[in-house]
Amino acid sequence: MDIKAYMGQLGQQARKASREMGRADTGKKNLALIKIAEAIAANREQLSIENQKDLRAGQENGLEAALLDRLELKPSTIDAMTEGLKQVAALADPVGGISDLNYRPSGIQVGQMRVPLGVIGIIYESRPNVTIDAAALCLKSGNACILRGGSEAIHSNQAIAACIAEGLAAAGLPAEAVQVVETTDRAAVGELISMDSYVDVIVPRGGRSLIERISNESTIPVIKHLDGICHVYIDDKADLNKAVNIAVNAKTHRYGVCNAMETLLVAEGIATKVLPRLAEQLLVKGVELRGCLKTCSLLPDCVRATEQDWVTEYLAPVLSIKIVESLDEAIEHINRYSSGHTESIVTEDYTLARRFLREVDSSSVMVNASTRFADGFEYGLGAEIGISTDKLHARGPVGLNGLTTLKYIVLGDGQIRQ
Amino acid sequence: MDIKAYMGQLGQQARKASREMGRADTGKKNLALIKIAEAIAANREQLSIENQKDLRAGQENGLEAALLDRLELKPSTIDAMTEGLKQVAALADPVGGISDLNYRPSGIQVGQMRVPLGVIGIIYESRPNVTIDAAALCLKSGNACILRGGSEAIHSNQAIAACIAEGLAAAGLPAEAVQVVETTDRAAVGELISMDSYVDVIVPRGGRSLIERISNESTIPVIKHLDGICHVYIDDKADLNKAVNIAVNAKTHRYGVCNAMETLLVAEGIATKVLPRLAEQLLVKGVELRGCLKTCSLLPDCVRATEQDWVTEYLAPVLSIKIVESLDEAIEHINRYSSGHTESIVTEDYTLARRFLREVDSSSVMVNASTRFADGFEYGLGAEIGISTDKLHARGPVGLNGLTTLKYIVLGDGQIRQ
C-alpha cells in the first residue's frame, strides 16, 4: 500500500466533501446523525463481533487491563454512542450564524458569519467510541473529517465507519465527509499532519506524549489538550463547609481526569481551621498528602512536597498542599506552576473573587465551584472534542464553535471606497 | 552582545509586565496612550533628527526610493501617529468583557471573559510609524509587546521608544510593557520567534518572504497576513452601473494593496454588456487586461491570460478576466485560486447573493461593495494590526479583539460534581 498516495486521496476527497458539508442544511446534517444512531443500534451484534476481534488481539499482544477496558464496546458504551449522536443532533447549528451586523458610515453593513474550518484531522488512541463522538461534532459543525484511531481498535473502528457511511448515505450527504483511515501503518499519521493543503486543523486526543509528538511534528495548526495541573485556593474568607466540600470533590470525585485538583493552596489565616477537617476526609478516602513545611507542621500524616510536586499532574489519589500568605502569593503560584487548565477560589470576599477571576490566566477560572465542572457538557456546549490549553482560537472545552471560524461579510448597495 | 541572553531578558521582563498590563484599568491604559501622543508631539524635532540619520544611512546604502519613502517620518506621518494614539485611546476596552454568562442546571453560572493573550512579538520592516501603531494596539488590549523593527529604522525606532517609555511612566505602567529591540543583529529575530515560554504570539508585518520565513521557523503561533488575490464576480443579474463602478474602484483605487481586485469573473450572459464599458474605463487608467479566450474575443485590447495569471497578486495596474457560465463556476474558480482574502459578488439576485455569502471561503465576502472596504477602519475596528488570511483564531482585519482570547469563568455557591 502506498501510504502517501492513499492519504493524499483521502485528503483530496475530504476537501471536496467539506465544500458540500459547508453548505449542507441543518435538517440534512441532523438526519444523518439520527440515521447513524439507527445504524449503530441495528448493528449492535456486528459491532460486538468486530470488537471481540480487537479484544482478542489485544489480549494476545499483552495490552494492559486499563487499555483493554477502554477498547471494549460494552452495551452501555454503545448506548452512550447512540445517545450522544441524538444529543448532537439536538444542538443548535452554529454554521451560518451572523453576529454584529451593523451599518458603517460608508453605508455598508459589516458583520461576522460563523463557518466551518473545513477539514479536521483527528488522531486518537484505543477508545473506539471516540470515532462516533468526533464524527458527530465534525458533521454537525459542517466540516469533513479524517479519523485515525488506534491500531488496536481497527476492527471496531471499521465497523463503526460502516454505520457512519450508512447514515451519511441515508441523508444524501457525501460518504467522504467522514473517512476512517483503513491502515494501521503509523506512516499514515505522519502524512495526515503534513497535508497542509487538504487539512485545516489537527486534533490529537490521547496521552501527553501523543499530543506533544503531534504538536511538534505537525505543519498544520493543532488544537492541543495538555495537562491539567488544577488548583483550588481556599481564602481566609472562605465558608468552611464550601471549602471542604469543593476540595474533597475536586480531588476525589475522579482521580484520572484532567480537571481534578492536583494542588491545594490555603490562606494562612484559615489553615488551622480547614486543613485538619479536610485531611481527615481525604485520608479516609486514601489520598496521600504532600505539603509545604507549614502544612506538615499542621498535619501529622503529611509528607514534605518537593519542587517536583508543584508541576506534577498526579492523576492519582495524591494531593500537594501549600499554605500561602495572601491572594497575591496564590495567584503567583498558580501563574507559575499551573498548566493553565482550571483553577478555583473558595471565598465569600467580593473583591478577592473579582481579582481572582480577572488575574488568573487559565482556560477556566472559578469561584466557589469544584474544578470538576470544567467540561463541555457541564458548560452547556452539549459535547466536547477536548479541552484546549492553548490560548489562540479555542480555549477550554472545545465544542461545535471551536470547530468553526468567523468570516467577515459585507452587504452593500454599490458602495466604493472614496 | 550576547543576543540570546539579551532577548531572554526582554522576554522575562515582558512576561512580568504582561501580568501587570492584564490587570491595568482602562483609565490608566488610555492615559498612557494620550501621554505617548503628547511625548511624540513634544519631541517632533528630536524624532526628525534621528530619522535623518536613518535616511542618510539608507541613501549611503543605496536603499530603493520606495523604501526611503516608507522610512521617512514626514510631518504628516507624525501627525498620523499622534492621531492614531488618540483614536485607540477612544476605543472601547475589550479586556474583562464577559459574554453569555448563563445559569446551568447544576446552579453554576458559566460565561466567557475576554482577556489579553499575554506577550506579543511583532516583527516589521522599514516603516517606523508601525512602532506606534503596534504598541498602541498591544497596550490597549492589555498585552506586553516586544517590537523588532527594520535595522534601517533603528535610530527612528529608538527615538519613538523613548516617547513610549515616557508615556508609560507618566501613567504609572511598567516600562517593560513595550520593549523595542535595541540591536540590529538578525539573530534577535531567531530568538524572538523561539522563546515559547515568554512570547504567546508572533505578528510579522511586511512582504510575503518575511512572513513565510517567520511562519516556517517560528515555534510560537503566528498571525499571518499573506497575499490578497481578490476577486469580483459580476453576475447576470448585476446592476450595470454598480458593476462597473465597483470593478473600477476595486482595481484602480490603489494598486499596491492587498484588498485590490486581481481577477474579475463575469457571467456569460452579461459579458457583452459590461466588459466593453469596463475595459474602456480601465484602459484609460492604464490597466493592462489579460483575459480568457472568450474575454479576448470581446475585447480587442486584451492579451491571453495564462494559468499563472489566476494565482498572481499583481499589486499593479494589471487585471485578469475570466468569463464563467454560472455562480457555481465562479465559486469553484475562487475557492481554487483565491488566497482567501476578499471576494465580492455584484448582483441584484437575492438567492445568488445568499449562496455567495455562505459558500465562498474567504476572510471577507461581500455583496455589491468594493473589495477595497476590507480594512480595519472601514469595518469599525478602529485600527488593525494586519489582515489575517489564517482560519484559526483571527480571520480578516485584526483589531483589539484579535489580540485577546476568551477564558471560561464559572460562578458558584459551593457546587460540587455529583
Side-chain angles (χ1 to χ4, degrees):
Chain A
M1 187 174 200
D2 179 342
I3 299 290
K4 197 180 172 68
Y6 168 70
M7 292 302 292
Q9 197 192 351
L10 293 194
Q12 216 167 344
Q13 289 168 350
R15 174 63 75 209
K16 190 157 172 264
S18 77
R19 305 268 182 228
E20 215 170 313
M21 292 303 293
R23 55 178 187 259
D25 61 44
T26 309
K28 261 194 185 179
K29 293 189 289 187
N30 290 345
L31 180 63
L33 291 165
I34 298 298
K35 290 289 176 189
I36 296 170
E38 288 173 9
I40 296 274
N43 288 286
R44 293 183 85 101
E45 208 170 322
Q46 192 56 34
L47 288 175
S48 262
I49 292 170
E50 296 298 317
N51 186 237
Q52 286 300 327
K53 293 186 194 166
D54 289 330
L55 288 171
R56 269 198 306 277
Q59 277 155 347
E60 281 163 22
N61 294 324
L63 273 195
E64 286 175 47
L67 282 180
L68 283 173
D69 184 57
R70 282 191 228 163
L71 186 53
E72 189 178 350
L73 283 177
K74 306 181 188 80
S76 63
T77 320
I78 295 180
D79 289 345
M81 282 160 58
T82 58
E83 191 46 44
L85 285 159
K86 288 175 197 164
Q87 278 177 15
V88 173
L91 292 175
D93 188 347
V95 178
I98 295 174
S99 53
D100 297 325
L101 184 66
N102 294 308
Y103 277 95
R104 297 287 310 147
S106 58
I108 60 173
Q109 285 168 282
V110 180
Q112 287 184 292
M113 182 190 279
R114 196 166 279 286
V115 290
L117 285 171
V119 177
I120 321 272
I122 303 182
I123 298 156
Y124 49 104
E125 294 177 331
S126 51
R127 293 194 303 139
N129 50 316
V130 172
T131 307
I132 281 294
D133 294 353
L137 286 169
C138 291
L139 199 162
K140 181 75 182 232
S141 54
N143 293 288
C145 61
I146 299 175
L147 307 178
R148 209 288 183 177
S151 54
E152 60 284 359
I154 185 77
H155 294 98
S156 313
N157 284 336
Q158 292 305 323
I160 293 171
C163 297
I164 296 173
E166 208 179 309
L168 287 168
L173 288 175
E176 296 79 12
V178 179
Q179 296 181 102
V180 178
V181 175
E182 286 180 20
T183 168
T184 57
D185 191 322
R186 298 191 73 171
V189 173
E191 287 301 318
L192 183 57
I193 62 176
S194 54
M195 305 195 296
D196 306 57
S197 53
Y198 297 134
V199 182
D200 296 293
V201 63
I202 294 287
V203 182
R205 291 188 56 162
R208 187 184 177 94
S209 68
L210 171 82
I211 295 171
E212 283 191 334
R213 190 161 44 81
I214 300 286
S215 303
N216 290 338
E217 292 173 15
S218 178
T219 60
I220 300 167
V222 175
I223 295 181
K224 284 194 284 293
H225 178 155
L226 284 173
D227 297 3
I229 304 177
C230 302
H231 296 73
V232 171
Y233 169 55
I234 301 177
D235 173 57
D236 273 343
K237 300 281 172 52
D239 174 290
L240 267 185
N241 285 329
K242 290 179 190 168
V244 171
N245 288 342
I246 287 172
V248 170
N249 186 260
K251 181 69 247 178
T252 70
H253 185 254
R254 273 180 73 188
Y255 294 112
V257 290
C258 61
N259 57 13
M261 165 175 68
E262 306 292 17
T263 298
L264 175 71
L265 303 171
V266 182
E268 210 160 13
I270 202 171
T272 52
K273 273 185 259 174
V274 78
L275 277 179
R277 255 181 76 178
L278 184 57
E280 196 187 323
Q281 294 199 27
L282 291 173
L283 291 167
V284 166
K285 290 179 184 270
V287 176
E288 178 190 337
L289 305 179
R290 303 185 188 171
C292 65
L293 188 59
K294 286 178 185 168
T295 303
C296 289
S297 74
L298 279 178
L299 302 177
D301 292 304
C302 182
V303 299
R304 277 299 299 281
T306 65
E307 183 72 13
Q308 188 56 34
D309 281 296
W310 312 126
V311 292
T312 300
E313 186 186 26
Y314 301 117
L315 298 172
V318 182
L319 176 68
S320 57
I321 305 176
K322 185 177 184 186
I323 293 176
V324 296
E325 274 179 26
S326 62
L327 178 71
D328 286 307
E329 195 186 338
I331 292 178
E332 210 181 291
H333 181 99
I334 289 170
N335 284 341
R336 179 162 172 198
Y337 294 108
S338 165
S339 61
H341 191 297
T342 299
E343 335 292 341
S344 183
I345 186 175
V346 188
T347 189
E348 298 300 314
D349 186 292
Y350 167 83
T351 299
L352 294 190
R354 198 165 171 254
R355 277 194 56 203
F356 191 86
L357 281 174
R358 171 132 181 200
E359 295 177 27
V360 170
D361 189 22
S362 295
S363 76
S364 286
V365 187
M366 306 182 166
V367 179
N368 293 339
S370 168
T371 54
R372 286 281 295 129
F373 281 108
D375 172 287
F377 290 96
E378 294 294 335
Y379 282 5
L381 308 183
E384 67 175 37
I385 202 147
I387 295 182
S388 165
T389 48
D390 284 331
K391 282 187 178 181
L392 267 71
H393 187 63
R395 195 178 191 192
V398 181
L400 292 177
N401 275 2
L403 299 178
T404 63
T405 178
L406 296 169
K407 70 183 179 193
Y408 280 96
I409 60 166
V410 175
L411 306 179
D413 194 32
Q415 278 81 3
I416 57 172
R417 268 293 279 280
Q418 301 301 328
Chain B
M1 188 175 199
D2 179 343
I3 299 290
K4 196 179 173 67
Y6 169 69
M7 292 303 292
Q9 197 192 353
L10 293 194
Q12 216 168 345
Q13 289 168 351
R15 175 61 74 210
K16 190 158 173 261
S18 77
R19 306 269 182 226
E20 215 169 315
M21 292 304 293
R23 56 178 187 258
D25 62 44
T26 310
K28 260 194 186 181
K29 293 189 289 187
N30 289 345
L31 180 62
L33 291 164
I34 298 298
K35 290 291 176 186
I36 296 170
E38 288 174 9
I40 297 275
N43 288 285
R44 294 184 86 101
E45 208 170 323
Q46 193 56 35
L47 288 175
S48 261
I49 292 170
E50 296 299 316
N51 186 237
Q52 286 300 324
K53 292 185 192 166
D54 289 331
L55 288 171
R56 271 197 306 276
Q59 278 155 347
E60 280 162 22
N61 294 325
L63 273 195
E64 285 175 47
L67 282 180
L68 284 173
D69 184 58
R70 281 192 229 161
L71 185 53
E72 190 178 350
L73 284 176
K74 305 182 189 79
S76 62
T77 320
I78 295 181
D79 289 345
M81 280 160 57
T82 58
E83 192 45 47
L85 284 159
K86 287 175 197 164
Q87 278 177 15
V88 173
L91 292 174
D93 188 346
V95 177
I98 294 173
S99 53
D100 298 324
L101 184 66
N102 294 310
Y103 277 93
R104 297 286 310 145
S106 58
I108 59 173
Q109 285 168 283
V110 179
Q112 288 184 292
M113 183 189 279
R114 197 165 278 286
V115 290
L117 286 170
V119 177
I120 321 272
I122 304 182
I123 298 155
Y124 49 104
E125 294 176 331
S126 51
R127 294 193 303 140
N129 50 315
V130 171
T131 307
I132 282 294
D133 295 354
L137 285 168
C138 291
L139 199 162
K140 181 76 182 232
S141 54
N143 293 288
C145 60
I146 300 174
L147 308 176
R148 209 289 185 175
S151 55
E152 60 283 1
I154 185 77
H155 293 99
S156 313
N157 284 336
Q158 292 305 323
I160 292 170
C163 296
I164 295 173
E166 206 179 310
L168 287 167
L173 290 174
E176 295 78 12
V178 180
Q179 297 180 101
V180 178
V181 175
E182 285 181 20
T183 169
T184 57
D185 191 322
R186 297 190 74 171
V189 174
E191 287 301 318
L192 183 58
I193 64 176
S194 55
M195 303 196 297
D196 307 58
S197 52
Y198 297 135
V199 181
D200 296 292
V201 62
I202 294 287
V203 182
R205 293 188 55 162
R208 188 185 174 91
S209 67
L210 172 81
I211 294 171
E212 283 192 333
R213 189 160 44 80
I214 300 285
S215 303
N216 291 338
E217 293 174 14
S218 178
T219 60
I220 299 166
V222 174
I223 295 181
K224 282 195 284 294
H225 179 156
L226 285 173
D227 297 4
I229 303 177
C230 302
H231 296 73
V232 171
Y233 169 56
I234 300 177
D235 172 59
D236 274 345
K237 302 279 172 52
D239 175 289
L240 267 186
N241 285 329
K242 289 180 191 169
V244 172
N245 289 342
I246 286 171
V248 170
N249 185 260
K251 181 69 246 179
T252 71
H253 183 254
R254 274 179 73 186
Y255 294 112
V257 291
C258 60
N259 57 13
M261 166 176 67
E262 306 292 15
T263 298
L264 176 72
L265 303 171
V266 182
E268 212 159 12
I270 202 172
T272 53
K273 274 186 256 171
V274 77
L275 277 180
R277 256 183 75 180
L278 183 58
E280 196 188 324
Q281 293 199 29
L282 291 173
L283 291 167
V284 166
K285 291 181 184 269
V287 176
E288 179 190 336
L289 304 179
R290 303 185 188 172
C292 66
L293 189 59
K294 287 179 185 167
T295 304
C296 289
S297 75
L298 279 177
L299 303 176
D301 293 304
C302 183
V303 299
R304 277 298 299 281
T306 65
E307 182 71 12
Q308 187 57 36
D309 281 296
W310 312 126
V311 291
T312 300
E313 186 185 28
Y314 302 117
L315 298 172
V318 182
L319 177 68
S320 56
I321 305 176
K322 184 174 186 188
I323 292 176
V324 295
E325 275 179 24
S326 62
L327 178 71
D328 286 309
E329 193 186 339
I331 292 178
E332 209 180 293
H333 181 99
I334 289 171
N335 284 342
R336 178 160 175 203
Y337 295 108
S338 164
S339 61
H341 192 294
T342 299
E343 334 293 341
S344 183
I345 186 174
V346 188
T347 189
E348 298 299 313
D349 186 290
Y350 167 83
T351 299
L352 295 190
R354 197 164 171 256
R355 277 194 55 203
F356 191 86
L357 281 174
R358 172 132 180 200
E359 294 176 28
V360 170
D361 188 23
S362 294
S363 76
S364 287
V365 187
M366 305 182 168
V367 180
N368 293 340
S370 168
T371 54
R372 285 283 292 130
F373 281 108
D375 172 286
F377 290 96
E378 294 295 336
Y379 282 5
L381 308 184
E384 67 176 36
I385 204 147
I387 296 182
S388 165
T389 49
D390 285 329
K391 282 187 179 181
L392 267 70
H393 187 65
R395 195 176 191 195
V398 181
L400 292 177
N401 276 1
L403 299 178
T404 64
T405 179
L406 295 170
K407 69 181 179 194
Y408 280 97
I409 60 167
V410 175
L411 305 180
D413 195 32
Q415 278 81 2
I416 57 173
R417 268 295 277 282
Q418 300 302 329

